Amino acid sequence: MLRAGLIGLPSTGKTTLLHLLTRGAGEAPPTPRRQASQVGVAQVPDPRLDRLTALFDPRRRVPATVEVSELAGHGSAAAMLDVTGFRNADALLHVLRMFSDERVPHAAGDLDPARDARQMEDELILADLGVAERRRQRIHQDMKKSRSRGLDDELRVIERCRAALEDGLPLRALALDAADAKRLRGFSFLSAKPLLIVLNLDESDVADPKPAIERAGLADALSGSGIETVPICAKIELEIAELPPEERAAFLGDIGLTDPGLDRVVRAGYRLLGYISFFTVGKDECRAWSVPRGTAAQEAAGGIHSDIARGFIRAEVVHYDALTARDGSHAACREHGEVRLEGKDYEVRDGDVINFRFAT
Ligand SMILES: Nc1nc2c(ncn2[C@@H]2O[C@H](COP(=O)(O)OP(=O)(O)O)[C@@H](O)[C@H]2O)c(=O)[nH]1
Ligand SMILES: [Mg+2]
């Protein structure tokens, strides 16, 4: 399951967004008390799963999910490092206040999204500098005991990170090769995490946020590598999401939107992370799974169950488009040569419907 951490100043709309993303998803796992955060689970909307469910009529329909956490209180970057939901987050969602509402006092005094964006970036960078510094000291200590290639490599990456951070650069801006990126993952650097900037706008700006972005002088803050942006109007969209389903589209249309906030935020998040979805279907359940683009079949199988990866024989793959064009009939797809048998290195594609064959 993907994990996302909500960050931002108080009263920017984090809790409102959390509700917007997670309402209707059923019971969230109970929040451990010692973790000063609020957690919800968002279901990834995917019309393809709905169609497959209609075709296969399974006992269960299981969408992909995203765990969303919000820190209690001010939610400083230093506090984030103490909370697993943030340290292990796949992405951070920075809710940036762009709405004006006199009834909601602004935590920093006045409306200045560019300042708030920079301030959050600085906080992440500062927290990471602390992590890098501690890590560097540890490596030096370890090196006194014994030197190894691994330690040398680690020190080199850490020094590079430290230099970037000291220049005020977030680590997501570093173009690291795959091996170094992997070394970095173990450190849970906050500024290395992909960042989705959620622009919480007035309803008059949400359909076309460009003028508001320009007025705020925000364009630079939104253009860095590893950053995606999504415009929302959290308060009104939450009100709309609570209306009967058949009324929602019209109200969304009134503020110039065609898709619900959940869909837009999830799509932006998948774009940011380069995630794709594949499906498993059957009488028992129809289910959507999310994996990074480029994931091999055996690895994808491992996300379902380690036994399936271990005993992997073949992946029986048919694309969603082909399967639905034949009303869900694998037999008809087979007849037309649309079902392929793929090996463990096959790169899973978005929309693949996969039956993993494995030995137990
Ligand atoms: N006008 C307006 N108010 C909002 C919007 N989003 C949130 N709020 C209000 O701002 C206040 C703080 O929201 P909340 O989600 O609790 O912010 P948090 O402190 O970041 O978790 C609440 O009164 C919300 O109703 C918005 O898009 N427009
Ligand atoms: Mg809150």
Side-chain angles (χ1 to χ4, degrees):
M1 174 159 68
L2 279 171
R3 288 208 188 89
L6 285 173
I7 59 176
L9 286 170
S11 303
T12 50
K14 296 182 297 299
T15 303
T16 311
L17 179 65
L18 182 76
H19 289 310
L20 176 65
L21 298 178
T22 60
R23 58 170 296 288
E27 277 296 291
T31 305
R33 202 173 286 276
R34 57 179 188 81
Q35 297 204 342
S37 70
Q38 190 178 349
V39 184
V41 173
Q43 296 189 344
V44 173
D46 193 331
R48 295 172 299 182
L49 181 63
D50 300 333
R51 179 81 204 282
L52 291 169
T53 303
L55 286 172
F56 286 88
D57 192 27
R59 275 183 284 278
R60 271 175 307 163
R61 168 189 171 281
V62 188
T65 50
V66 182
E67 187 184 277
V68 187
S69 307
E70 181 197 349
L71 284 185
H74 175 68
S76 70
M80 280 175 224
L81 286 167
D82 292 331
V83 177
T84 353
F86 282 83
R87 258 203 326 273
N88 298 341
D90 297 290
L92 296 177
L93 269 55
H94 182 191
V95 182
L96 204 52
R97 173 156 173 182
M98 294 183 76
F99 64 85
S100 43
D101 187 336
E102 279 159 16
R103 287 161 303 173
V104 183
H106 194 295
D110 59 342
L111 198 62
D112 185 349
R115 172 204 58 204
D116 297 346
R118 184 65 231 175
Q119 188 185 315
M120 178 57 74
E121 195 77 306
D122 288 344
E123 265 195 50
L124 299 179
I125 288 170
L126 202 63
D128 284 355
L129 257 178
V131 174
E133 188 52 46
R134 283 192 294 279
R135 188 70 213 172
R136 195 174 72 117
Q137 285 170 8
R138 271 285 297 280
I139 296 174
H140 280 304
Q141 276 168 14
D142 290 350
M143 279 178 159
K144 281 183 201 146
K145 287 178 229 146
S146 70
R147 279 195 88 104
S148 73
R149 178 74 193 281
L151 281 179
D152 287 346
D153 284 340
E154 216 176 276
L155 186 61
R156 182 179 45 73
V157 183
I158 287 290
E159 290 294 11
R160 196 172 157 199
C161 290
R162 236 168 47 100
L165 294 165
E166 271 173 354
D167 285 343
L169 291 175
L171 297 179
R172 73 183 95 79
L174 288 183
L176 297 174
D177 62 33
D180 280 352
K182 201 168 165 191
R183 286 186 188 100
L184 216 62
R185 273 206 288 277
F187 306 129
S188 319
F189 284 123
L190 295 170
S191 77
K193 295 185 189 299
L195 181 66
L196 180 59
I197 299 187
V198 181
L199 308 174
N200 196 9
L201 294 144
D202 283 320
E203 57 186 286
S204 52
D205 289 323
V206 71
D208 177 16
K210 279 206 194 74
I213 291 171
E214 238 156 67
R215 277 199 307 278
L218 252 184
D220 281 351
L222 307 183
S223 67
S225 77
I227 295 181
E228 271 282 346
T229 308
V230 63
I232 59 154
C233 183
K235 188 179 170 194
I236 295 197
E237 290 199 59
L238 180 58
E239 285 165 15
I240 294 174
E242 277 160 357
L243 294 171
E246 64 277 9
E247 290 178 21
R248 292 176 201 159
F251 282 91
L252 277 176
D254 283 347
I255 52 173
L257 297 172
T258 44
D259 300 311
L262 170 62
D263 300 52
R264 301 195 322 277
V265 171
V266 166
R267 267 206 304 275
Y270 273 49
R271 221 167 35 237
L272 174 69
L273 290 168
Y275 265 62
I276 58 163
S277 300
F278 72 91
F279 304 94
T280 52
V281 297
K283 276 281 141 223
D284 195 42
E285 71 173 27
C286 284
R287 185 158 181 170
W289 306 83
S290 303
V291 289
R293 190 177 294 284
T295 297
Q298 187 170 30
E299 210 180 319
I304 300 176
H305 201 291
S306 55
D307 288 350
I308 307 182
R310 207 174 305 120
F312 185 96
I313 300 171
R314 281 267 181 277
E316 202 179 54
V317 184
V318 56
H319 196 266
Y320 167 86
D321 293 336
L323 186 61
T324 49
R326 304 203 187 280
D327 294 327
S329 166
H330 272 95
C333 288
R334 224 170 264 120
E335 254 169 54
H336 290 84
E338 290 161 344
V339 180
R340 289 163 289 126
L341 285 178
E342 303 282 5
K344 61 180 169 35
D345 296 327
Y346 168 73
E347 186 179 313
V348 174
R349 286 191 313 156
D350 189 48
D352 278 347
V353 180
I354 307 184
N355 177 23
F356 291 102
R357 302 239 191 106
F358 63 105
T360 46

